[in-house]
Amino acid sequence: MAETARTPLDPGFTRRYRFHGGLRLQVCQEAPAAQPIRHAGIPAQLILPLAQHIGDPARCLVRVGEHVLGGQCIAEAVGTVSAPVHAPTSGTVTAIEPRPVPHPSGLPATCLVIEPDGMDQTGVKAAPAGDYLQQEPAALLEQLRAAGIVGLGGAGFPTALKLARKHPIELLLINGAECEPCIACDDGLMRERAREVIEGVRILRHIVQPAACVIAVEDNMKESEQALRTALQELDEQHIRVLTVPAIYPTGGERQLIKVLTNREVPSQGFPADIGIVCQNVGTAAAAYAAIARTEPLRSRIVTMTGDGVRSPCNLEVLIGTPVRHLVEVAGGYTDHIERLLIGGPMMGYTISTDAVPVIKTTNCVLAVTAQSMPAPPPAQPCIRCGKCTEACPADLLPQQLYWHAHAANYDATQDYGLFDCIECGCCAYVCPSHIPLVQYYRHAKTAIWAQEKQQRAADIARERHEARLVRLERIRQERAEQLASKKQALTGKDAGDAARQASIQAALERVRRKKEQADIAPRNTDNLTPQQLRQIEEAEQRRASKTTGRGNPQEPPGQ
Ligand code: SF4
Ligand code: SF4
């Protein structure tokens, strides 16, 4: 991606900038940050989806019937963008099967089901005490990856991957601004565990090594702000600053928060790192501290259980995999007028069809609402082109155009209008006088595009495989043809050799025959002799014979 022009960072962070649109929403009456965080305890069953993060689902490492310890890795990360899953407590794996999971689609997904034994035995070994700030950043990243830490602000992007620097980072921005009204898990965390947050930020800072490091909280989070400042003082930490930002929804959005503090814009479909910024949630920082300092994998998180549909709204420390039903029980049970449950807040939350769905790593809030507090919207009317949605859009999009094209299933056009820059904040739908469920159209369009891309990828893979097969078959055909040709050539060469050998034998035979003939016709030493010569030879032969007879056997040695 091309380097984006950057506004120089104000070293004092004295100014606050305004992002486009946004809403000043009434603070949720049931927000329970002021109450101490309660432990939800161990439920009767834990349901752990293999996909609780952005990226590929984890691969199961255990079998049904197997006993597992708390903190044991029960599903490993697959590929680069993935995260492992750990057993939240000790117990027995009772099923590996599709179960309802918290997702807007309402579709089930593969889950590991654990029946806790109540002993909470852990396989986590206490880390040797040591200064983690002396460790190599790469080693810390590996520990975060192995601990299954993902963004707890809601995105679920694997933290180690996000922290792995490709460019120099100017600003490490720790997001303590809540995503939306009613959600108070980060507020509660900062109030009660500010030291853990600061220690976690120190670790992240050591990994990223930015020029500046800031924790941002909303200006209505006075207790959190104070708790963080106190912790900074106690730890004598000079390199981390706490800053406040206006509580305008959705300031807690990564892009909006960056704009407010730095006046920089994250490029369309880009990342904060493209403009020299890494953003992490305060909950992620605390989880990083637990992972590094206490070698604790991600087994639990803080969840806000709120809304007028439960009797005692509260912040709960919840084991990952705990069914929502258990949270409701801990929060005093349903009120009489409970109508539905949402995962998330009133603006971005989605309805779940059953309270059997589990809390996963990214679940920050469960909202139990009544018809009174959140009445069903009136039937949608035609768009009147009032433009209010455009005014409210914090992503500076044209929601009305997006709606038209999404409605017409013209997905290419929705992308031209920046569909994937839409953060689904719901501001447009909130202000729409025609009560058009705009965000639902955008979500549907995104899902359809993803499905198309998946289909296209599958088709591309099939086509590539087919082409590769054709190439392979052609290669085999050619190799066979070549083999055949070389065999033929070899055979032809053998015939020629045989013929040559035969010819050579024939020539030899011929030579022998000729020699024989020559020998037959060649004059002997006794040929052509005169009668006198013949007589002389005969006389010589007779003399030799008479000598042999007169002196005995010429072979015997003389004197014997
Ligand atoms: S706010 Fe609603 S009615 Fe107005 S332009 Fe946007 S979609 Fe149309
Ligand atoms: S939901 Fe999307 S289009 Fe609507 S206001 Fe938010 S960012 Fe803009």
Side-chain angles (χ1 to χ4, degrees), residues 389 392-399 402 421-429 438-439 442:
C389 51
C393 179
D396 218 354
L397 303 175
L398 297 171
L402 279 175
D421 288 328
C422 167
I423 57 170
E424 299 177 18
C425 64
C427 288
C428 51
L438 297 166
V439 182
Y442 309 150

Side-chain angles (χ1 to χ4, degrees), residues 383-389 400 432-434 436 438:
C383 171
I384 56 170
R385 297 176 182 269
C386 64
K388 287 188 176 176
C389 51
Q400 175 201 352
C432 177
S434 295
I436 301 170
L438 297 166

